[in-house]
Amino acid sequence: MSTPAQRLAAVRQRIADAARAAGRDPAGVALLAVSKTWPADDVRALAALGQTAFGENRAQELTAKAAELADLPLEWHFVGQLQRNKAAAVARTGAVVHSLDRAPLARALSRAGEERGTPVGVFVQVDLGGAAGELAERGGVDPGDVAALADEVAGLPGLRLRGLMAVAPRGEEPGPAFARLAELAARLRADHPGADELSAGMSGDLEEAIAAGATLVRVGTALFGSRPLTSPRVTPVTGAPPGAPEEVV
C-alpha cells in the first residue's frame, strides 16, 4: 500500500507532466487536496508534507476541520453545492467557494464577506451538460448565463471573482467538455481580467483539464484513497436548523 508521501509525489508528477505536455509551466497549476469525508489527522499528515490547500463539500465538516486544524497555515476551499443559510458559516472559515451558481447565493456570500471584513473568493460553477436529462446533475449555471452571473458577482462588494469551475459530465470524454469551459473562461477574462483562474480536473481527468488551461485541479481519491462510506462525526454549524440537508457534490 502506498504512503501519503508517495501518493502526493505521484499526483504532483502527473500535474507536472501534463503541464509540460501542454506547453505550460507546472508552477501555473495548483493542487487542491479534496479531503471530504477524511479525518483531520489525514489532512494534518498531508500538510506535514507541504500540501496547504484543502477542499471540503459539506459546511459542517469544513467548519469542524478548520477549527481543529487552526494551528496550521491552511487554505480552505468549499467545493460542494452550498445552501444560502450556510453561506456565513463557510465565509467565516475564510474558504474560497468554488460552487457559486445563482444570484441569491452570491448576495448571501457577499453579505457574509462584508461582515467579515474580507471579500469571499468565488468561482462561478458552470454546468457542462452531458447526456439528455443530466443538465445540472453536478450543479452549475447554464453556460449561456455565465456572463450575467459573473457581472453581478463582480459588482458585489463582499466577493472577489476568481474565475470559473466545472466538473466534467459523466458518460463522455472530458476533453471536449473542458474545451467548452476554456472558451467560456476566455470570454470571462475579456470582461473581467482579474478572473483568470480555472478550477477543473479531478483524479481521473486532471490531464485533460490541464491541457484545456486549468490553473487548479481538485484531487481527492488519488491522494487519500477510496472514500469511507460515511463522513466522520462533525460538530453542527451554529444556527443551522435541525435536520437541515447538507451539500453534496
Side-chain angles (χ1 to χ4, degrees):
M1 181 178 291
S2 59
T3 66
Q6 290 170 330
R7 293 193 294 271
L8 180 59
V11 170
R12 286 176 171 170
Q13 188 62 56
R14 286 177 62 190
I15 291 171
D17 290 345
R20 293 190 184 100
R24 300 177 57 194
D25 182 353
V29 184
L31 171 61
L32 174 61
V34 180
S35 48
K36 63 181 186 180
T37 76
W38 291 95
D41 285 347
D42 288 351
V43 174
R44 193 176 289 278
L46 272 190
L49 297 170
Q51 178 63 29
T52 58
F54 292 86
E56 295 290 332
N57 80 321
R58 297 170 69 92
Q60 291 182 208
E61 195 169 346
L62 169 65
T63 55
K65 285 182 186 172
E68 186 172 348
L69 299 168
D71 59 305
L72 298 178
L74 303 182
E75 175 184 309
W76 291 103
H77 295 245
F78 187 84
V79 298
Q81 293 179 11
L82 181 60
Q83 301 167 353
R84 276 186 291 167
N85 67 339
K86 306 292 180 67
V90 169
R92 282 194 292 269
T93 69
V96 177
V97 176
H98 289 238
S99 50
L100 180 56
D101 60 358
R102 58 200 187 277
L105 176 59
R107 292 190 287 268
L109 284 168
S110 180
R111 287 193 296 271
E114 289 187 272
E115 291 170 2
R116 185 171 180 266
T118 305
V120 179
V122 297
F123 289 82
V124 170
Q125 183 177 357
V126 184
D127 180 3
L128 293 178
E134 289 185 1
L135 285 175
E137 180 186 359
R138 294 193 168 190
V141 63
D142 184 275
D145 296 328
V146 167
L149 181 56
D151 288 346
E152 177 154 0
V153 169
L156 290 170
L159 299 182
R160 181 168 78 85
L161 179 61
R162 293 181 56 155
L164 298 182
M165 179 276 242
V167 180
R170 295 183 177 91
E172 68 176 70
E173 289 298 318
F178 288 142
R180 299 194 298 273
L181 179 64
E183 291 178 3
L184 290 170
R187 293 179 211 159
L188 179 69
R189 287 193 299 271
D191 294 332
H192 304 282
D196 57 358
E197 298 181 65
L198 187 59
S199 170
M202 300 189 293
S203 294
D205 56 19
L206 66 85
E207 286 83 3
E208 290 86 351
I210 291 171
T215 63
L216 185 153
V217 293
R218 309 178 306 272
V219 178
T221 302
L223 289 172
F224 294 98
S226 298
R227 286 192 167 82
L229 294 178
T230 58
S231 299
R233 184 182 301 274
V234 295
T235 302
V237 177
T238 301
E246 275 291 350
E247 302 79 18
V248 296
V249 169

